[in-house]
Amino acid sequence: MPTNRVYRALADPTRRRILALLRERPMTAGELASQFELAWPTMSGHFAVLREANLVQAERTGSTITYRLNQTVLQEALMALMDALGVSPAEPSA
Amino acid sequence: MPTNRVYRALADPTRRRILALLRERPMTAGELASQFELAWPTMSGHFAVLREANLVQAERTGSTITYRLNQTVLQEALMALMDALGVSPAEPSA
DNA sequence: CTGGTATTTTGGCATCCACCGAATTCGGTA
DNA sequence: TACCGAATTCGGTGGATGCCAAAATACCAG
């Protein structure tokens, strides 16, 4: 259970912001990178961390690479974390 | 909103284990430290990170210091993360 | 105040991590 | 083939982080 990669991936604000953006819709690496003031290699590194944590999926289409949020993995990771730390789940917003 | 300290604090497996232990009951620094194969100063450093993240409360009683889990902060941090990432909360176990 | 126990602080080292510029790879196109 | 745009990998730097031994602090008992 390489769950540790997930926690480490979530520890960085830039990566959390990337995930939040991907929550809206899949985006290419360039699209994502343009939303930050960081150099491309830096962003590429963040993508790699997210890929290794299996939090995003990369799909090559021609010359561009589209990143897609892996909702299931993210959800399960957070649930596991909450469970391990004894945080009770919220009531479903009525 | 120093929420970032919380995520950083959760990124380390030792600290997550500490939180899991405190979930059962409050424990003194020595009690906690004895459950790990790490030197005391190392553990003390982890305690400090958890304190700064406000995830635990330290209370001095005589010569010992008792650490107590700060459930509320933890819960709110995880909820905020889930919300930011669009993970829907689970139903309360019926 | 002297000694002993509990815990943190200090100082230092090794590793990791975020960051960048430059070079490289991969596809598409002429 | 040569060239261009998209994205990653390479090489290096500065700063954070985890670790420890030794010293310092805080408290209690004599």
Short mmCIF file of all heavy atoms in Angstrom, two decimals, chain B residues 70-93:
data_model
loop_
_atom_site.label_atom_id
_atom_site.label_comp_id
_atom_site.label_asym_id
_atom_site.label_seq_id
_atom_site.Cartn_x
_atom_site.Cartn_y
_atom_site.Cartn_z
N ASN B 70 -6.04 16.96 19.07
CA ASN B 70 -6.97 18.06 18.85
C ASN B 70 -7.91 17.69 17.70
O ASN B 70 -7.78 18.16 16.59
CB ASN B 70 -6.18 19.32 18.50
CG ASN B 70 -6.90 20.57 18.97
OD1 ASN B 70 -8.11 20.56 19.11
ND2 ASN B 70 -6.15 21.62 19.20
N GLN B 71 -8.86 16.86 18.01
CA GLN B 71 -9.76 16.30 17.00
C GLN B 71 -10.35 17.35 16.07
O GLN B 71 -10.43 17.15 14.87
CB GLN B 71 -10.91 15.55 17.70
CG GLN B 71 -10.48 14.20 18.26
CD GLN B 71 -10.95 13.05 17.38
OE1 GLN B 71 -11.38 13.26 16.26
NE2 GLN B 71 -10.83 11.84 17.89
N THR B 72 -10.76 18.47 16.66
CA THR B 72 -11.48 19.47 15.87
C THR B 72 -10.63 20.01 14.74
O THR B 72 -11.05 20.07 13.58
CB THR B 72 -11.92 20.62 16.77
OG1 THR B 72 -12.62 20.08 17.89
CG2 THR B 72 -12.82 21.55 16.00
N VAL B 73 -9.40 20.40 15.07
CA VAL B 73 -8.51 20.95 14.05
C VAL B 73 -8.28 19.93 12.94
O VAL B 73 -8.35 20.24 11.75
CB VAL B 73 -7.17 21.36 14.67
CG1 VAL B 73 -6.18 21.73 13.57
CG2 VAL B 73 -7.36 22.52 15.62
N LEU B 74 -8.04 18.69 13.35
CA LEU B 74 -7.80 17.64 12.37
C LEU B 74 -9.00 17.45 11.47
O LEU B 74 -8.90 17.41 10.24
CB LEU B 74 -7.47 16.34 13.11
CG LEU B 74 -7.13 15.15 12.23
CD1 LEU B 74 -5.98 15.49 11.30
CD2 LEU B 74 -6.76 13.96 13.10
N GLN B 75 -10.14 17.38 12.08
CA GLN B 75 -11.37 17.17 11.32
C GLN B 75 -11.59 18.30 10.34
O GLN B 75 -11.85 18.08 9.16
CB GLN B 75 -12.56 17.07 12.29
CG GLN B 75 -13.88 16.96 11.55
CD GLN B 75 -14.83 16.00 12.25
OE1 GLN B 75 -14.46 15.36 13.23
NE2 GLN B 75 -16.03 15.88 11.75
N GLU B 76 -11.45 19.53 10.82
CA GLU B 76 -11.70 20.67 9.94
C GLU B 76 -10.70 20.71 8.79
O GLU B 76 -11.06 21.04 7.66
CB GLU B 76 -11.65 21.97 10.75
CG GLU B 76 -12.93 22.20 11.54
CD GLU B 76 -12.82 23.40 12.47
OE1 GLU B 76 -11.77 24.05 12.45
OE2 GLU B 76 -13.78 23.64 13.22
N ALA B 77 -9.45 20.39 9.08
CA ALA B 77 -8.43 20.40 8.03
C ALA B 77 -8.77 19.39 6.94
O ALA B 77 -8.73 19.70 5.75
CB ALA B 77 -7.06 20.11 8.62
N LEU B 78 -9.14 18.19 7.36
CA LEU B 78 -9.44 17.16 6.37
C LEU B 78 -10.70 17.50 5.59
O LEU B 78 -10.78 17.29 4.39
CB LEU B 78 -9.58 15.80 7.05
CG LEU B 78 -8.27 15.24 7.57
CD1 LEU B 78 -8.48 13.85 8.15
CD2 LEU B 78 -7.23 15.21 6.48
N MET B 79 -11.68 18.07 6.29
CA MET B 79 -12.90 18.46 5.60
C MET B 79 -12.60 19.53 4.56
O MET B 79 -13.10 19.47 3.43
CB MET B 79 -13.92 19.00 6.62
CG MET B 79 -14.47 17.94 7.55
SD MET B 79 -15.22 16.55 6.68
CE MET B 79 -15.85 15.59 8.04
N ALA B 80 -11.79 20.50 4.94
CA ALA B 80 -11.45 21.58 4.01
C ALA B 80 -10.73 21.01 2.79
O ALA B 80 -10.99 21.41 1.65
CB ALA B 80 -10.57 22.61 4.71
N LEU B 81 -9.84 20.07 3.04
CA LEU B 81 -9.12 19.46 1.93
C LEU B 81 -10.08 18.73 1.01
O LEU B 81 -10.05 18.89 -0.21
CB LEU B 81 -8.06 18.49 2.47
CG LEU B 81 -7.24 17.77 1.42
CD1 LEU B 81 -6.51 18.77 0.53
CD2 LEU B 81 -6.24 16.84 2.09
N MET B 82 -10.95 17.94 1.60
CA MET B 82 -11.91 17.20 0.79
C MET B 82 -12.78 18.15 -0.02
O MET B 82 -13.05 17.93 -1.19
CB MET B 82 -12.79 16.32 1.69
CG MET B 82 -12.01 15.21 2.36
SD MET B 82 -13.06 14.20 3.41
CE MET B 82 -14.12 13.43 2.19
N ASP B 83 -13.18 19.22 0.64
CA ASP B 83 -14.03 20.18 -0.05
C ASP B 83 -13.27 20.83 -1.21
O ASP B 83 -13.77 20.92 -2.33
CB ASP B 83 -14.50 21.26 0.93
CG ASP B 83 -15.47 22.22 0.27
OD1 ASP B 83 -16.50 21.75 -0.24
OD2 ASP B 83 -15.18 23.42 0.25
N ALA B 84 -12.03 21.24 -0.94
CA ALA B 84 -11.24 21.90 -1.98
C ALA B 84 -11.01 20.97 -3.17
O ALA B 84 -10.89 21.41 -4.31
CB ALA B 84 -9.90 22.36 -1.40
N LEU B 85 -10.94 19.70 -2.89
CA LEU B 85 -10.65 18.74 -3.95
C LEU B 85 -11.91 18.08 -4.49
O LEU B 85 -11.85 17.19 -5.33
CB LEU B 85 -9.66 17.69 -3.46
CG LEU B 85 -8.32 18.28 -3.05
CD1 LEU B 85 -7.40 17.19 -2.54
CD2 LEU B 85 -7.68 19.02 -4.21
N GLY B 86 -13.04 18.48 -3.99
CA GLY B 86 -14.29 17.99 -4.55
C GLY B 86 -14.61 16.56 -4.19
O GLY B 86 -15.33 15.90 -4.93
N VAL B 87 -14.08 16.10 -3.08
CA VAL B 87 -14.43 14.75 -2.65
C VAL B 87 -15.66 14.84 -1.79
O VAL B 87 -15.70 15.59 -0.82
CB VAL B 87 -13.27 14.11 -1.84
CG1 VAL B 87 -13.67 12.76 -1.32
CG2 VAL B 87 -12.04 14.03 -2.72
N SER B 88 -16.67 14.06 -2.15
CA SER B 88 -17.91 14.13 -1.39
C SER B 88 -17.81 13.33 -0.12
O SER B 88 -17.20 12.27 -0.09
CB SER B 88 -19.06 13.60 -2.25
OG SER B 88 -18.73 12.32 -2.73
N PRO B 89 -18.38 13.83 0.96
CA PRO B 89 -18.32 13.16 2.24
C PRO B 89 -19.08 11.84 2.21
O PRO B 89 -20.04 11.69 1.47
CB PRO B 89 -18.97 14.15 3.20
CG PRO B 89 -19.83 15.01 2.34
CD PRO B 89 -19.18 15.07 1.01
N ALA B 90 -18.68 10.93 3.06
CA ALA B 90 -19.34 9.63 3.13
C ALA B 90 -20.62 9.75 3.94
O ALA B 90 -20.79 10.67 4.73
CB ALA B 90 -18.41 8.62 3.79
N GLU B 91 -21.50 8.81 3.72
CA GLU B 91 -22.69 8.77 4.56
C GLU B 91 -22.29 8.25 5.93
O GLU B 91 -21.41 7.40 6.03
CB GLU B 91 -23.72 7.80 3.97
CG GLU B 91 -24.13 8.18 2.56
CD GLU B 91 -24.92 7.07 1.93
OE1 GLU B 91 -25.38 6.20 2.67
OE2 GLU B 91 -25.06 7.06 0.69
N PRO B 92 -22.91 8.77 6.98
CA PRO B 92 -22.64 8.23 8.30
C PRO B 92 -23.09 6.77 8.33
O PRO B 92 -24.18 6.45 7.85
CB PRO B 92 -23.49 9.12 9.23
CG PRO B 92 -24.51 9.76 8.33
CD PRO B 92 -23.93 9.82 6.96
N SER B 93 -22.24 5.90 8.89
CA SER B 93 -22.60 4.49 8.94
C SER B 93 -23.92 4.36 9.71
O SER B 93 -24.00 4.68 10.88
CB SER B 93 -21.50 3.72 9.65
OG SER B 93 -21.02 4.48 10.74
#
